[in-house]
Amino acid sequence: MTSGRLPRVGVFHPGSQHSLQTAIAFQGSGQLAWHATSLYYDPSRWPYRIERFLPARVAARVNRRFRRRFDPEIDISRVRQFGFDEWLEIAARKLRLFRLADALNISGNRRFERQVIELARREPVDVLWGYNTSALEVFRWAKGRGIRCVLDQTIGHPRSLNRIMMAEHERNPEYFGVPFHPHPDAAIAVQDEEVALADLVVCGSEFCAETLRENGCPPGKIRVVPYGFSDWLFPQAPPHRAPLAGRPVEFLFVGTIEPRKGAAYLLEAFAEIAPAEAFLTLIGRLDIPGAVFARFAGRVRHIPHIPRTELVGHYRRADCFVFPSLFEGSALVLYEAVASGLGIVQSRFAGEGVQPGVNGLCLDRVDTPTLLAAIRRVIDEPGLLVAWQEASWRMRGMRSWKNYAVAAREILDR
């Protein structure tokens, strides 16, 4: 790297995660060389051009789906797209062909990594910023060429995930549509080598960092950089909510409704609460058996996955966000809840949404009695909930992607 010149950064991820926001962070400092991905809405390219040839109503629905992988802040000239494996994997997961989807994920990631290496040869960079499970071959190639490698660990270490989810399967097997299949040793070895090759490992929460340390990552290599919400998406004026007196408290959950997200405890807790006291809206893909969910269908409202642009209204209508996840990296929905001025009840395993005692409760354990007690406290202390809402609104500047961008750039500066 030439002395005095800012390092040029290549960001790569076969899907999405928060890689767009990482790219935008380095775009803002003039350091972004390119952002490589398989999925980004570009109406001039296939398959996105198909919407031009569809009837208007169908095209509108297709456009909503395509725009899930879009952010107006990224310079599209910096986006490099290649590969269709991600599309095939998405289709397999929608058809619940999970073993096929996992196989497509592995083969697709390897193919994507080879394409990233060719891109880096054509458009050289000083730093490669990649994401867990899709960086190994790139890092192997880069290490012999003096290119610095940053691994973005978007979820806790898979060895820790196996331990936690195998225990959850023993406790609540009926909530699993298929038996839990732990990450195989070969997949764990890939992530262990990615960590070993990386010059730095970046993650979104202290819990995620904890799982890395307990699986051998040197503490000095880890940097915690909390994620954020998109300023362009969320209004700058606080929401106007109806007074809590005389109506049920509206709780909101956003995410896949699955065992890892604490679905068993969330549903069972609300089964103990009268509809006149509180109601729960669940937004996201239902990934527990339908017969199990049917036991609670009268007590909750379920809305399938919708674009983030449409989620904003649900955040602003709710009173309290609840997210009792058993295992995360750092859930983006927590930052969006802060951006919407919501009180929050979350687990400590979920991310960095709550400042304990300031804008909500952070639970050290997840089970039905603990979660039920937290929900009842929200119901019984409306003044406390209002104070949490006001605190979240005051905190929103600390939870934006702009704050993340500053911290991500400082990592390379140091």
Side-chain angles (χ1 to χ4, degrees):
M1 185 177 71
T2 304
S3 178
R5 176 171 66 81
L6 289 173
R8 297 286 285 166
V9 182
V11 177
F12 62 98
H13 190 300
S16 178
Q17 297 279 8
H18 60 277
S19 61
L20 269 175
Q21 297 301 328
T22 307
I24 290 167
F26 293 111
Q27 176 181 282
S29 61
Q31 294 172 264
L32 180 67
W34 39 260
H35 170 48
T37 184
S38 301
L39 300 172
Y40 185 75
Y41 175 65
D42 179 350
S44 68
R45 294 173 55 100
W46 288 100
Y48 308 103
R49 288 174 60 189
I50 194 173
E51 62 187 10
R52 302 180 186 181
F53 307 103
L54 298 173
R57 292 182 65 181
V58 177
R61 288 199 300 270
V62 170
N63 182 264
R64 285 174 65 212
R65 286 189 170 274
F66 283 161
R67 282 182 175 271
R68 293 177 186 174
R69 309 296 181 113
F70 175 77
D71 193 303
E73 295 187 77
I74 190 75
D75 177 358
I76 200 166
S77 71
R78 300 289 182 187
V79 177
R80 308 287 184 266
Q81 285 195 69
F82 33 70
F84 284 90
D85 299 88
E86 194 77 9
W87 291 99
L88 297 174
E89 181 189 344
I90 290 170
R93 291 199 188 281
K94 284 188 176 298
L95 294 170
R96 302 185 68 81
L97 302 172
F98 297 117
R99 288 185 180 273
L100 174 60
D102 290 343
L104 288 169
N105 177 61
I106 293 169
S107 62
N109 284 357
R110 300 295 83 79
R111 190 163 18 253
F112 176 80
E113 290 173 62
R114 291 193 291 272
Q115 291 169 313
V116 169
I117 291 170
E118 291 305 312
L119 173 62
R121 286 192 174 109
R122 295 192 306 272
E123 301 182 50
V125 294
D126 307 300
V127 178
L128 284 162
W129 189 299
Y131 294 76
N132 56 288
T133 76
S134 59
L136 179 57
E137 294 298 331
V138 179
F139 284 2
R140 284 174 174 170
W141 173 83
K143 293 304 287 186
R145 290 163 176 80
I147 302 171
R148 284 179 285 169
C149 299
V150 179
L151 178 68
D152 204 316
Q153 185 75 25
T154 60
I155 192 168
H157 195 282
R159 196 174 286 111
S160 298
L161 174 62
N162 281 353
R163 172 176 53 81
I164 289 170
M165 292 311 298
M166 288 171 73
E168 178 65 11
H169 187 266
E170 290 181 9
R171 283 191 297 267
N172 293 297
E174 70 275 17
Y175 283 84
F176 288 74
V178 295
F180 175 68
H181 295 288
H183 288 265
D185 291 343
I188 293 174
V190 166
Q191 292 205 41
D192 282 341
E193 188 176 350
E194 286 176 334
V195 169
L197 288 170
D199 297 291
L200 284 176
V201 180
V202 178
C203 56
S205 71
E206 180 53 38
F207 169 71
C208 186
E210 179 184 307
T211 70
L212 292 169
R213 289 191 294 268
E214 72 183 18
N215 285 283
C217 182
K221 186 184 277 195
I222 301 170
R223 302 289 185 273
V224 176
V225 182
Y227 304 147
F229 70 92
S230 297
D231 294 276
W232 65 270
L233 185 59
F234 287 83
Q236 298 303 305
H240 297 286
R241 297 183 171 101
L244 290 165
R247 68 173 179 85
V249 178
E250 291 284 341
F251 286 82
L252 176 67
F253 169 95
V254 177
T256 305
I257 302 136
E258 62 173 338
R260 181 169 65 83
K261 305 285 187 181
Y265 311 107
L266 185 59
L267 292 171
E268 289 170 8
F270 270 90
E272 300 295 321
I273 297 170
E277 294 181 294
F279 199 79
L280 172 65
T281 297
L282 302 156
I283 300 180
R285 186 179 78 246
L286 187 64
D287 206 9
I288 61 174
V292 173
F293 183 73
R295 303 203 306 256
F296 307 98
R299 280 296 296 110
V300 301
R301 178 173 63 144
H302 175 231
I303 301 172
H305 184 77
I306 56 178
R308 283 204 131 59
T309 52
E310 297 178 25
L311 274 174
V312 174
H314 291 279
Y315 280 116
R316 291 173 67 85
R317 284 190 294 273
D319 299 305
C320 188
F321 193 74
V322 57
F323 199 75
S325 183
L326 304 178
F327 197 93
E328 296 288 335
S330 194
L332 297 182
V333 291
L334 293 174
Y335 306 94
E336 295 175 346
V338 172
S340 305
L342 281 167
I344 301 173
V345 175
Q346 68 162 92
S347 69
R348 79 170 186 89
F349 320 110
E352 307 289 321
V354 163
Q355 285 188 356
V358 177
N359 66 325
L361 295 175
C362 189
L363 310 179
D364 287 328
R365 58 182 295 166
V366 179
D367 56 34
T368 301
T370 302
L371 186 56
L372 179 59
I375 293 167
R376 286 211 175 274
R377 184 179 178 191
V378 174
I379 295 167
D380 295 339
E381 300 183 46
L384 180 64
L385 176 55
V386 171
W388 288 350
Q389 293 169 346
E390 293 171 349
S392 277
W393 188 259
R394 290 193 301 270
M395 289 167 51
R396 70 197 312 263
M398 300 164 52
R399 294 292 191 259
S400 74
W401 281 120
K402 290 179 180 177
N403 207 52
Y404 164 88
V406 171
R409 292 194 292 258
E410 284 179 351
I411 285 175
L412 295 194
D413 290 342
R414 292 198 295 267

